């Protein structure tokens, strides 16, 4: 049975984090899972437990403290005109995650071709932000009940750099936090960018339901050999 490690505050890493225990003796791949706003690094532990036995699962804590055991990647207000983000915080978290994943890769001898980043809600937003601006850092990303920030557009990588990237979008059709239209916009945007991706919808609200979890893990396992190709992202 998988458990969580104590919180690591190692200054060699840009973020505090936990890992699923026991870790593989010699990990072949890296899965970084990002929690949503107001959550914490333990939230996606059950999802990570479904990853392959040779995968190192890392769960970082968002850098912004919102309350007891409540953290985020950036502050956001939900208004009649849609979500209004603190853009500087979103960008700082994106840059920090790029550094953090690089530090993990170096520490464990895992390259970008064997690395996937995924997240729920705001964590999914950051997964897309990282992957679409620094595609050399990961092989694939997943946005689970999230969106792609329009503010990201000036920083997007070009089509050549994005060509090896793979994406996954999953969203509830009854989501009352981030309406399903955001997921459709994200899918259309990835089409325009030429990013190979899969999009799935569920009759659920703003949640990581059983079917969404199972489909994500199936996508992860099914595409593992595709990602494990030497040279991607190098």
């Amino acid at each position: 049975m998988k458990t969580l490690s104590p919180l690591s505050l190692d200054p060699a890493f840009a973020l505090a984090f936990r890992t699923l225990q026991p870790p593989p003796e010699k990990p072949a791949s890296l899965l970084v899972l990002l929690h949503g706003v107001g959550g914490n690094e333990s939230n996606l532990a059950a999802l990570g437990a479904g990853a392959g036995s040779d995968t190192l699962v890392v769960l970082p804590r968002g850098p912004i403290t919102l309350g007891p055991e409540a953290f985020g990647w950036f502050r956001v207000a939900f208004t009649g005109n849609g979500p209004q983000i603190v853009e500087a915080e979103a960008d700082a978290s994106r840059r920090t995650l790029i550094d953090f994943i690089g530090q993990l890769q170096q520490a464990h001898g895992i390259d970008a071709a064997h690395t996937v980043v995924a997240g729920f809600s705001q964590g999914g937003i950051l997964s897309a932000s990282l992957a679409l601006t620094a595609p050399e850092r990961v092989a694939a990303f997943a946005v689970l009940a999230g969106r792609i920030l329009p503010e990201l557009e000036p920083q997007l990588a070009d089509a050549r750099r994005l060509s090896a990237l793979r994406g996954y979008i999953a969203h509830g059709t009854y989501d009352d936090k981030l309406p399903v239209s955001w997921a459709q916009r994200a899918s259309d945007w990835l089409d325009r960018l030429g990013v190979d991706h899969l999009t799935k919808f569920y009759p659920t609200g703003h949640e990581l339901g059983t079917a969404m979890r199972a489909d994500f893990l199936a996508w992860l396992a099914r595409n593992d050999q595709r990602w494990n190709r030497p040279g991607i992202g190098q």
Side-chain angles (χ1 to χ4, degrees):
M1 181 176 177
K2 293 283 188 178
T3 60
L4 274 176
S5 72
L7 185 69
S8 173
L9 299 170
D10 188 336
F13 296 92
L15 291 166
F17 67 97
R18 299 181 194 267
T19 57
L20 282 189
Q21 302 291 303
E25 286 189 19
K26 187 172 176 56
S29 58
L30 171 65
L31 175 61
V32 179
L33 294 175
L34 309 179
H35 65 79
V37 64
N40 61 58
E41 69 286 350
S42 67
N43 294 160
L44 298 185
L47 181 65
S53 60
D54 62 351
T55 299
L56 176 66
V57 179
V58 177
L59 303 114
R61 173 179 287 187
I64 298 172
T65 301
L66 301 173
E69 295 302 310
F71 304 90
W73 304 98
F74 56 87
R75 283 171 290 177
V76 58
F78 293 94
T79 73
N81 295 320
Q84 303 296 313
I85 71 167
V86 180
E87 190 172 350
E89 292 177 349
D91 190 61
S93 286
R94 178 185 67 86
R95 293 175 183 274
T96 299
L97 279 164
I98 292 171
D99 291 342
F100 177 69
I101 290 179
Q103 291 159 352
L104 290 171
Q105 289 166 337
Q106 183 173 17
H108 296 281
I110 303 171
D111 62 20
H114 302 75
T115 301
V116 178
V117 61
F120 171 71
S121 192
Q122 195 176 92
I125 291 173
L126 263 294
S127 297
S129 295
L130 182 154
L132 294 173
T133 61
E136 297 83 6
R137 186 66 78 200
V138 297
F141 69 100
V143 181
L144 309 175
R147 64 185 181 117
I148 300 176
L149 295 178
E151 294 87 349
L152 198 65
E153 186 162 12
Q155 301 171 67
L156 293 175
D158 60 35
R160 179 190 59 80
R161 292 171 59 203
L162 291 170
S163 61
L165 192 62
R166 301 291 181 269
Y168 185 80
I169 296 172
H171 213 96
T173 54
Y174 301 111
D175 194 322
D176 62 348
K177 296 293 185 186
L178 293 174
V180 68
S181 59
W182 280 108
Q184 190 58 61
R185 288 183 212 175
S187 184
D188 293 345
W189 200 353
L190 294 182
D191 282 338
R192 293 194 298 273
L193 293 172
V195 175
D196 183 21
H197 66 285
L198 178 64
T199 302
K200 302 201 74 168
F201 298 104
Y202 303 85
T204 59
H206 190 69
E207 60 189 88
L208 190 55
T210 301
M212 188 184 291
R213 289 170 182 262
D215 287 349
F216 166 73
L217 291 171
W219 170 81
L220 194 65
R222 184 168 62 248
N223 288 280
D224 186 65
Q225 291 306 310
R226 176 187 293 176
W227 298 328
N228 282 272
R229 294 181 299 175
I232 296 176
Q234 297 180 351

